[in-house]
Every structure is written in C-alpha cells, then in structure tokens.
C-alpha cells in the first residue's frame, strides 16, 4: 500500500463520504478529538478534517468529508487506490473527559464524526454515555449502527420527523434532563447555531459543556488566523488552543458572523471546479 492511499470510500449521505486512509504514523499517535490536514494533490490547498476513527493495528485513519467547497469536491472525485499528496497529523489537543462519569454526546450533521470516537472511548472505560444525533432528515443520519455498540442510549432526532423523534437536539436534551437524567458534562459538535443553542440550554440547566470549533479551521497551524474566536473575552485559535472549548465561554454570535464572510468566494471556487 502507498502512503495516504484511499483504502475505502463510503457514501453515508448526500454529499457526505467517509474515507479510510492508509497513514500508519498518524494512526500510531492520534487520539480522539484531534485532526489532520490533507492535500489532494501537489497544487491543492491544505484543509483540516477531524479524525473520526483509527486503527493502530491496520495503520488507518478515517475521516468524514462533506462536499462544500473546491477541495472537498475534488476529494469526492478521487477513487479507492488513489493516494493523497499529504496527510499530516495528528494536530490539535486530544479530548479529555476523564473527570466525568456521565456524559451526553450531542452531534449534528457531520458532527457525528467527532463524537463517535468519544463514545467508543468513554464506553470502553465503563462511563455512562448517552448519544443524541440530529439531522434535517433520515438520509442525513450517520453512524447509527456504530453508535448502538458504543453508548448506553442512542436518541435520533430529525427536523422533519422522518426518523426518530421530530424536533431538535436541544428538545431531546431538555426532555432527558427534565425526565431525571443527570449528566456531568455535555459534549456538543455540529453547526455553530446548533452548538450555540445547546450551550444556551445547558447554561440554564447548570451542566458543564464542551464544544468543538473545528469547523472554523483552515490552515491548522495558527498562522492564517482564520479560526480565531473569542473565549471568555480572550482571543483564541481553534487549531492550536482547541479545537475544544468551554461552550459557555465561546462568543458564538461572533463566530457565526465570521464563518459567513467568505461564502460568496467559496461558491465561486465551486463554480470553477464544475466549469
């Protein structure tokens, strides 16, 4: 096998694929919560992706990629047997939930890729782990079978009610707590508005909350400054200070506004790829 060869490519939802990459050095050292940076080819841009699973034995790393921009669409055109130009990592700080005994993991959309390794690790340590997975509809729900073996309870939520309970992840979380569930910590990953809503609810409920700000990263080394955010009134960088932070201290309004700045430029690059 070649370094950074695509061994498995699996479509999990519309515009979302899971890739298993042969990268033994990354697999040897990576931990849940960390990320990698890849380039599809020598002229490609550097793009970060969270590690969603790994096998030290097989020397493989799994990532989940949503086609939203030039590089992700270029990656979607690659096939099993082809090799990436670069696959660098692990980067970022590993998740540390060791002090908590009862954790609720909340994932929205491709955020499920981040909470899956957390569920495996916590469940394997004998911790009480509940998982809430939300999506717009049933076709966008991912890793439901895998979560079944990696948590105590799995709750599926869809906006349209096509699978599981109709509503939002915050509805389910509030319902569980109101019903007597007691969590030491909530770990939330997903779209910024979703994490903001979860953090607002858990602050009212008095539950420690950790969020992953990995969606803001670009360069991955702190040099570009694109992932800067305000946490407890101080400037932080998701790639080197995080990607995980106290959800009650993050300025989500600022982060959401900054995430939309280059939307038109990103769309232009997509059009160039199609042309």
């Amino acid at each position: 096998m070649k370094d950074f060869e695509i061994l498995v490519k699996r479509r999990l939802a519309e515009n979302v694929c899971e890739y298993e990459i042969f990268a033994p050095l990354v697999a040897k050292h990576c931990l849940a919560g960390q990320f990698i940076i890849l380039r599809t080819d020598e002229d490609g841009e550097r793009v970060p992706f969270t590690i969603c699973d790994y096998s030290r034995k097989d020397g493989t790393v799994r990532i989940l990629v949503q086609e939203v921009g030039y590089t992700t669409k270029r990656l979607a055109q690659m096939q099993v047997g082809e090799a990436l130009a670069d696959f660098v990592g692990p980067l970022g700080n590993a998740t540390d939930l060791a002090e908590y005994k009862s954790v609720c993991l909340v994932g929205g959309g491709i955020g499920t890729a981040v909470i899956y390794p957390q569920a495996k690790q916590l469940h394997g340590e004998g911790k009480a782990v509940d998982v809430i997975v939300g999506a717009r509809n049933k076709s966008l729900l991912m890793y439901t079978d895998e979560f079944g073996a990696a948590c105590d309870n799995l709750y599926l939520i869809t906006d349209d009610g096509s699978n599981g309970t109709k509503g939002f992840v915050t509805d389910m979380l509030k319902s569980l707590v109101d019903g007597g569930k007691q969590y030491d910590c909530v770990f939330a990953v997903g779209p910024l508005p979703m994490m903001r809503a979860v953090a607002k609810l858990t602050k009212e409920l008095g539950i420690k909350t950790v969020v992953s700000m990995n969606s803001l990263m670009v360069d991955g080394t702190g040099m570009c400054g694109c992932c800067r955010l305000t946490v407890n009134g101080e400037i932080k960088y998701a790639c080197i200070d995080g990607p995980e932070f106290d959800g009650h201290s993050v300025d989500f309004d600022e982060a959401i506004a900054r995430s939309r700045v280059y939307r038109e430029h990103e769309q232009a690059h997509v059009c160039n790829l199609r042309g």
Side-chain angles (χ1 to χ4, degrees):
M1 286 182 285
K2 298 169 289 186
D3 279 347
F4 318 143
E5 181 179 343
I6 300 173
L7 301 181
V8 177
K9 177 182 178 182
R10 182 168 64 123
R11 184 164 294 279
L12 298 185
E14 182 181 0
N15 296 327
V16 178
C17 282
E18 178 191 73
Y19 300 84
E20 185 173 298
I21 310 296
F22 182 67
L25 288 179
V26 179
K28 181 179 180 180
H29 299 286
C30 66
L31 296 169
Q34 294 184 297
F35 64 95
I36 57 89
I37 288 179
L38 64 77
R39 287 194 306 160
T40 55
D41 52 66
E42 293 297 332
D43 297 321
E45 62 181 340
R46 303 168 70 254
V47 183
F49 295 101
T50 300
I51 295 168
C52 64
D53 203 2
Y54 57 88
S55 170
R56 304 201 199 284
K57 177 183 177 182
D58 299 329
T60 58
V61 175
R62 281 200 287 166
I63 58 173
L64 199 63
V65 180
Q66 184 176 26
E67 300 164 35
V68 293
Y70 182 91
T71 296
T72 52
K73 290 183 181 295
R74 172 70 186 93
L75 180 58
Q77 295 173 347
M78 299 182 71
Q79 302 301 322
V80 171
E82 294 186 78
L84 303 169
D86 294 311
F87 194 84
V88 179
L91 300 168
N93 299 306
T95 305
D96 184 7
L97 301 176
E99 64 181 287
Y100 306 110
K101 296 181 179 180
S102 179
V103 180
C104 183
L105 304 174
V106 182
I110 62 171
T112 55
V114 183
I115 66 171
Y116 176 58
Q118 315 294 348
K120 284 180 60 179
Q121 181 172 321
L122 292 168
H123 193 63
E125 294 171 354
K127 304 287 184 67
V129 185
D130 285 352
V131 172
I132 301 175
V133 173
R136 293 195 307 275
N137 56 62
K138 64 180 181 181
S139 69
L140 299 175
L141 290 170
M142 290 167 279
Y143 289 155
T144 55
D145 291 339
E146 289 87 344
F147 275 120
C151 66
D152 297 296
N153 299 288
L154 173 62
Y155 305 95
L156 303 180
I157 312 294
T158 49
D159 294 1
D160 62 1
S162 54
N163 195 335
T165 302
K166 181 178 181 179
F168 304 106
V169 293
T170 46
D171 298 329
M172 177 56 70
L173 179 57
K174 187 175 188 305
S175 175
L176 292 172
V177 174
D178 287 347
K181 284 280 188 177
Q182 295 183 346
Y183 298 116
D184 300 326
C185 178
V186 169
F187 182 89
V189 190
L192 292 172
M194 185 216 83
M195 291 192 290
R196 176 176 62 182
V198 170
K200 182 177 182 294
L201 173 62
T202 55
K203 188 172 184 178
E204 296 170 357
L205 297 174
I207 304 173
K208 169 71 177 181
T209 299
V210 178
V211 295
S212 176
M213 304 299 287
N214 58 3
S215 62
L216 296 176
M217 295 188 294
V218 177
D219 176 78
T221 65
M223 296 178 65
C224 71
C226 290
C227 69
R228 68 184 182 275
L229 67 155
T230 302
V231 181
N232 201 26
E234 298 181 359
I235 298 298
K236 298 289 184 180
Y237 294 87
C239 62
I240 56 176
D241 297 316
E244 293 156 10
F245 299 93
D246 178 351
H248 300 154
S249 299
V250 173
D251 186 337
F252 279 105
D253 292 339
E254 176 191 66
I256 290 171
R258 291 192 63 252
S259 72
R260 295 170 176 167
V261 169
Y262 297 106
R263 185 165 293 176
E264 292 183 7
H265 298 277
E266 292 169 349
Q267 187 58 42
H269 278 288
V270 173
C271 292
N272 290 338
L273 180 63
R274 290 171 178 166

